[in-house]
């Protein structure tokens, strides 16, 4: 085995070894960051791919993107204009952005996404589409300023990506299972308050609607935060949709 292929294999096995007993996303984040940097990448992300009428916010599983790009991407809802996402929905094979998009005729919005990504040193990248039973689609994607991936590096990254995604999915399923107990404790009144929050109402407005004090509504919202293990109302709403509390 040539030295480059050996280094790629060692990086892959190091990642698999380090994450074998992962108990949290942090146990995957740090090893994945080290593996990504070994192959020349400065950022990465793992996310489910939303349906055409959905946002990507609640689908993100692991975020190693530059903070500014993550916020900009979400604020502009770029997921449905992103040509990398479009390609991931259409094919099973992993791909280098520049190679896969070379012969594509990109629309104005798609070009804008790719051009603005370069402002965050994401000039090129490598993406691994993932398709599961039931129609679930996901992507593991890496970004870099410059990219020169050997076939051995691509193969190693492909396996790393699949393993990282599956590990995260397993952790999420374990969390969802433990959350079932919390769901049983979500009262009808709390569900109603979550629905009003999702409709954009403030605690004061919800209090007016339900004939209760602003402070009481705030306390009930904070109680739901604790039950769902979230830190703000945006997360509460996203988690409520994910867990089926809201539909």
């Amino acid at each position: 085995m040539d030295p480059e292929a050996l280094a790629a294999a060692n990086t892959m096995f190091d990642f698999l070894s380090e994450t074998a007993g992962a108990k949290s996303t942090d146990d995957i984040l740090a090893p994945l960051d080290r593996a990504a940097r070994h192959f020349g990448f400065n950022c990465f992300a793992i996310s489910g791919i939303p349906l055409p009428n959905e946002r990507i916010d609640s689908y993100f599983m692991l975020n190693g993107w530059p903070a500014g790009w993550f916020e900009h991407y979400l604020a502009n809802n770029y997921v449905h204009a992103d040509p990398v996402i479009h390609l991931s929905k259409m094919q099973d094979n992993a791909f280098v952005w520049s190679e896969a998009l070379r012969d594509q005729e990109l629309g104005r919005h798609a070009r804008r996404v790719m051009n603005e990504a370069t402002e965050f040193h994401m000039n090129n990248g490598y993406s691994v589409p993932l398709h599961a039973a039931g129609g679930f689609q996901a992507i593991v994607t890496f970004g870099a300023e410059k990219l020169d991936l050997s076939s051995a590096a691509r193969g190693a990254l492909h396996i790393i990506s699949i393993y990282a995604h599956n590990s995260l999915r397993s952790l999420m399923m374990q969390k969802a299972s433990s959350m079932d107990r919390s769901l049983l404790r979500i009262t009808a009144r709390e569900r109603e308050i979550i629905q009003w929050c999702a409709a954009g109402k403030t605690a004061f407005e919800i209090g007016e609607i339900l004939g209760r004090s602003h402070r009481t509504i705030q306390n009930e919202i904070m109680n739901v935060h604790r039950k769902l293990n979230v830190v703000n109302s945006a997360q509460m709403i996203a988690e409520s949709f994910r867990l089926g509390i809201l539909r």
Side-chain angles (χ1 to χ4, degrees), residues 25 52 58 74 93 99-101 131-132 146 153 156 174-175 180 190 204:
T25 56
S58 62
L74 265 57
N93 296 327
E99 296 173 358
L101 297 175
H131 304 273
K146 294 181 180 180
Q174 291 173 19
K175 180 182 177 183
D180 287 343
E190 287 170 342
F204 179 83

Side-chain angles (χ1 to χ4, degrees), residues 36-37 39-44 64-66 96-98 114 117-127 141-149 157:
R37 293 187 184 283
F39 292 113
F41 296 99
N42 52 39
C43 59
F44 54 86
W65 271 353
V96 171
W97 300 352
S98 59
M114 300 308 292
T118 64
E119 298 174 15
F120 296 87
H121 309 290
M122 299 169 66
N123 300 346
N124 205 351
Y126 181 73
S127 294
T141 194
F142 301 87
E145 196 160 12
K146 294 181 180 180
L147 189 57
D148 182 17
L149 280 182
L157 265 177

